Amino acid sequence: MKQNEEIFSWESWVTIPTNSDFSLQNLPYCIFSTPNNEVKKIGVGIGEYVIDLNQMQQLNAFDTFNLSENFFLKDYLNDFIGLGKQITNAIREKIMIALKKENGTENNILFHHQKSILLPQKNLKFHLPVKIGDYTDFYSSREHATNVGTMFRDPNNALLPNWLHLPVAYHGRASSIVVSGTDIIRPYGQTKAADAEKPSFHATKLLDFELEMGFIIGKNTKLGENITTAEAENHIFGMVLFNDWSARDIQAWEYVPLGPFLAKNFASAMSPWVVVMEALEYFKVETPAQSEVLDYLKFEGKKSFDIQLEVFIKPQNSEEKLVCKSNHKYLYWNISQQLAHHTINGCNMNIGDLCASGTISGSTPDSFGSMLELTWRGSKPILMHDNTERKFINDFDTVIMRGFCEKNGHRVGFGEVNNFVLPAK
Amino acid sequence: MKQNEEIFSWESWVTIPTNSDFSLQNLPYCIFSTPNNEVKKIGVGIGEYVIDLNQMQQLNAFDTFNLSENFFLKDYLNDFIGLGKQITNAIREKIMIALKKENGTENNILFHHQKSILLPQKNLKFHLPVKIGDYTDFYSSREHATNVGTMFRDPNNALLPNWLHLPVAYHGRASSIVVSGTDIIRPYGQTKAADAEKPSFHATKLLDFELEMGFIIGKNTKLGENITTAEAENHIFGMVLFNDWSARDIQAWEYVPLGPFLAKNFASAMSPWVVVMEALEYFKVETPAQSEVLDYLKFEGKKSFDIQLEVFIKPQNSEEKLVCKSNHKYLYWNISQQLAHHTINGCNMNIGDLCASGTISGSTPDSFGSMLELTWRGSKPILMHDNTERKFINDFDTVIMRGFCEKNGHRVGFGEVNNFVLPAK
């Protein structure tokens, strides 16, 4: 099923508020549980509801798919993703058709049993949607790499020599990736001031967010196999919002020569919703112009996505302040190039693996994707609505990231990733 | 059960060849399968045999432990490790006592049923022993870091400023870690010669090994918890031999500023045997003298291990050539410091996570743990027994690493990790 113009003209019998991320054309997946039951289940977002897929299966709505009993009672989406796109897309199509306005009739299982199948999101608990085997973080925003290179190295040679030739990336920690809503504890660590003789030990003073998105691998490959740019999207199940929490003072001291470690692995946060690639098809755009690349990084057609991104800081007793507006389409390297590069040496991929984009900054100062860049190392603090200033993130702040596609009045969104910051223990 | 002097005086009714790694005092764990059955099982090495723990359970040898049915039919050791040291050590003690010479009697289940329980290692297939969630690679050999810094940076400031203050580390790829015996495919990648205008794409010309050891996490911790140097060994199940396969030309071009990526994640290899910490206790030694460190990195007592390490290269139609003799005790940072550092920011650990040491080089040129160092970037080739020279690793070579402790005539060894190198696809 292609997300073509026709589908975007469909309406649903479910009431979908204006500006809802969870339109009929989206149907993102999540893992949820209900207040009185710890069992985790696979759900699909629609408007202000989650569709309980287990309930649908019990009512025989999926009998044509030969799924095992209680298939949707799962801690993670991995087994569902493992069914393959042919089946997962057919299930999604079945749900989409059942939600169409003209199918709001009593002989439609979903409509008839809507009281037991459609659960209000506000009553539910959301969990990390995938079991992440390996987590890779790219560094694919030219503006971000340029900003960092300008601040910490040489403004005249801000990009390192390899940057325009390959999508730079490094491996991150999978165990400390948490779902939106999880509190972040300010980490301790070693830092060294430039003028200090010795390092010192304290809670980070420069806690920061990084506005990122990630894609979830949808197919296993074997060691020695590689994935071409043409094939890449078939190997990707969907995308998520991602906050790569960072401690800048720890990072500056530890990161040579092998990259960031404790400055990142204390926590990263993911949206509970995985938006499938098929829902994003309609919002594809051209990738920014590139210098010449080696053959395995060449690609044809539209491989970038127009996904509007926003970051807000909410001080404890104040309103949210919008501090950044960016867009996934600003990324210099598209996700097909990222995956082609990652596997060109035969590195194997597993279902549920996460590849994040790196900080997504635009070209204007209000589009930078981290406090490091927005306040230019703290030299330009940002005023909150309660008149306090932020150079970096304070204890008891909440950082909220939102993302959505919008075109011709149609919206497909990612919900949000938000985290409240607790003081160091 | 402490591995005290008394235990090292015990002998077994099983014939154990002189210089066997798998003495009565070792009893390392593995995952194996038999030629006619794909089911994977947990085994214990003794002499030239593997003890089939499932067979022992079926014969009621472990009835006192309340294990679930078919507990030892497992793809990985993780569930076994998850029983906790109190139980896994009690199981190991029971096996050790059953193997004692004076218990070689017919009322001993293991002795009586030895034909079905003791399986010759040469008939078995060995598998990756643990499901690795996250893999971290340290960089803890001062000699290695100094050699690399001398070659690629400044001989007069070979160590970077942070090196003596913290155990530098980075995250690696877990999906591409394979067991000994798996063929390694020479990877393709981007490289750029210093005098070239543009990067080029080809199979690596500088394939290298890195002689390492790794430790396996034995206890889950939660985000926000940290592990002290005093507690660290209680959080470690055991150790393995590890070859961190590397492509030096890919590495040199890609690694700034975020560390090695495709130069490493095409494959790393692990011994099939996990030697538990309790078997290594007897071989503990002092850690090399250190500069002053921050409090959380201080430690008391013997925290290093006298483990002799060897690397051999075997050209296709020739004998093994010993190219390196090193020792785990040369590491500047001990494993307790590594784990304390890794968790000081609250990073959580899971059972089965792997922390590798980084290349273990000694102070003499014949103790360097990589071809990069042994041949000093290819400037001092090594002569094989068939009179061919090696600057790096050739197609159809086999690289073999071995490791063992030896003290007062007693030996506890790790077997080997060996890989045959296939040409690029």
Side-chain angles (χ1 to χ4, degrees), chain A residues 254-417:
Chain A
E254 75 170 359
Y255 93 104
V256 283
L258 299 179
F261 182 56
L262 300 187
K264 302 276 193 175
N265 66 15
F266 62 94
S268 318
M270 188 190 275
S271 61
W273 304 102
V274 183
V275 176
V276 297
M277 298 316 290
E278 290 69 19
L280 298 171
E281 185 73 27
Y282 184 70
F283 304 96
K284 277 184 158 180
V285 291
E286 302 284 345
T287 300
Q290 295 186 348
S291 313
E292 190 172 351
V293 293
L294 286 166
D295 284 347
Y296 78 93
L297 291 170
K298 290 182 175 146
F299 64 94
E300 286 178 7
K302 293 180 180 174
K303 296 285 185 189
S304 288
F305 298 88
D306 183 1
I307 306 170
Q308 301 181 49
L309 301 168
E310 298 170 336
V311 186
F312 303 82
I313 298 174
K314 186 188 172 306
Q316 191 164 24
N317 295 308
S318 175
E319 300 300 300
E320 294 175 13
K321 164 84 177 186
L322 176 68
V323 297
C324 161
K325 276 176 82 84
S326 187
N327 195 305
H328 193 262
K329 72 181 177 186
Y330 298 156
L331 289 174
Y332 184 86
W333 297 103
N334 61 51
I335 63 174
S336 297
Q337 292 178 302
Q338 289 172 348
L339 191 51
H341 182 65
H342 201 324
T343 59
I344 192 61
N345 68 343
C347 181
N348 57 332
M349 293 282 143
N350 289 316
I351 288 169
D353 287 349
L354 172 71
C355 294
S357 56
T359 307
I360 306 171
S361 295
S363 55
T364 58
D366 60 348
S367 67
F368 296 165
S370 65
M371 292 298 275
L372 177 73
E373 296 163 84
L374 288 164
T375 70
W376 210 256
R377 300 176 84 171
S379 65
K380 301 173 183 174
I382 300 175
L383 196 65
M384 300 288 108
H385 290 306
D386 62 1
N387 283 321
T388 57
E389 285 185 343
R390 290 294 179 282
K391 295 177 178 175
F392 287 89
I393 302 302
N394 287 4
D395 289 343
F396 311 114
D397 284 350
T398 302
V399 174
I400 305 153
M401 296 177 175
R402 300 199 177 98
F404 55 91
C405 306
E406 220 163 41
K407 184 172 143 187
N408 303 329
H410 303 300
R411 180 158 165 144
V412 164
F414 290 79
E416 65 181 39
V417 53

Side-chain angles (χ1 to χ4, degrees), chain B residues 57-307:
Chain B
Q57 185 184 18
Q58 305 308 328
L59 294 164
N60 304 313
F62 298 127
D63 282 1
T64 51
F65 293 106
N66 283 318
L67 302 171
S68 58
E69 221 178 316
N70 299 321
F71 181 81
F72 296 99
L73 302 184
K74 286 282 190 317
D75 289 352
Y76 298 103
L77 293 174
N78 297 46
D79 288 350
F80 177 74
I81 298 172
L83 293 174
K85 286 209 180 210
Q86 204 179 346
I87 295 173
T88 56
N89 281 340
I91 291 173
R92 185 164 167 271
E93 185 172 2
K94 190 175 183 86
I95 297 168
M96 197 182 284
I97 289 169
L99 289 167
K100 277 180 81 173
K101 186 158 265 174
E102 51 268 48
N103 295 325
T105 58
E106 291 300 328
N107 60 352
N108 172 359
I109 291 172
L110 182 45
F111 183 84
H112 183 74
H113 295 277
Q114 57 182 285
K115 284 213 173 134
S116 67
I117 295 176
L118 291 181
L119 312 176
Q121 289 175 20
K122 64 177 185 333
N123 297 344
L124 304 177
K125 185 169 178 194
F126 293 95
H127 305 277
L128 195 67
V130 281
K131 174 79 180 163
I132 301 162
D134 279 293
Y135 153 46
T136 299
D137 199 18
F138 283 86
Y139 186 58
S140 288
S141 158
R142 182 172 186 164
E143 291 79 4
H144 172 66
T146 303
N147 286 340
V148 172
T150 300
M151 275 186 255
F152 293 102
R153 286 183 296 266
D154 176 3
N156 298 314
N157 288 291
L159 284 185
L160 286 163
N162 58 12
W163 202 93
L164 293 170
H165 296 283
L166 55 84
V168 170
Y170 69 106
H171 291 295
R173 180 100 190 159
S175 74
S176 52
I177 297 175
V178 298
V179 72
S180 175
T182 308
D183 294 343
I184 302 297
I185 305 164
R186 181 178 296 270
Y188 282 98
Q190 259 196 55
T191 69
K192 191 181 151 300
D195 56 352
E197 214 175 285
K198 292 178 175 181
S200 59
F201 180 75
H202 53 81
T204 179
K205 295 171 185 169
L206 308 180
L207 183 65
D208 202 355
F209 60 79
E210 291 197 338
L211 170 62
E212 304 199 9
M213 294 196 68
F215 63 83
I216 308 287
I217 295 296
K219 251 187 197 180
N220 294 332
T221 54
K222 288 186 183 154
L223 263 178
E225 287 180 28
N226 70 297
I227 300 169
T228 64
T229 56
E231 267 298 307
E233 287 176 9
N234 292 330
H235 287 258
I236 300 173
F237 177 72
M239 292 179 70
V240 294
L241 292 172
F242 195 69
N243 183 350
D244 183 23
W245 282 94
S246 300
R248 299 300 179 193
D249 40 3
I250 297 172
Q251 187 175 354
W253 173 233
E254 75 169 359
Y255 93 105
V256 283
L258 299 178
F261 182 56
L262 300 186
K264 301 276 193 176
N265 66 16
F266 62 94
S268 317
M270 187 190 277
S271 60
W273 304 101
V274 183
V275 177
V276 297
M277 298 316 289
E278 290 69 19
L280 298 171
E281 185 74 27
Y282 183 71
F283 303 96
K284 278 183 156 181
V285 292
E286 301 284 346
T287 300
Q290 295 185 348
S291 314
E292 188 169 355
V293 293
L294 285 165
D295 284 348
Y296 77 93
L297 290 170
K298 290 182 175 145
F299 63 93
E300 285 177 10
K302 292 180 179 174
K303 296 284 185 190
S304 289
F305 298 88
D306 182 0
I307 306 170

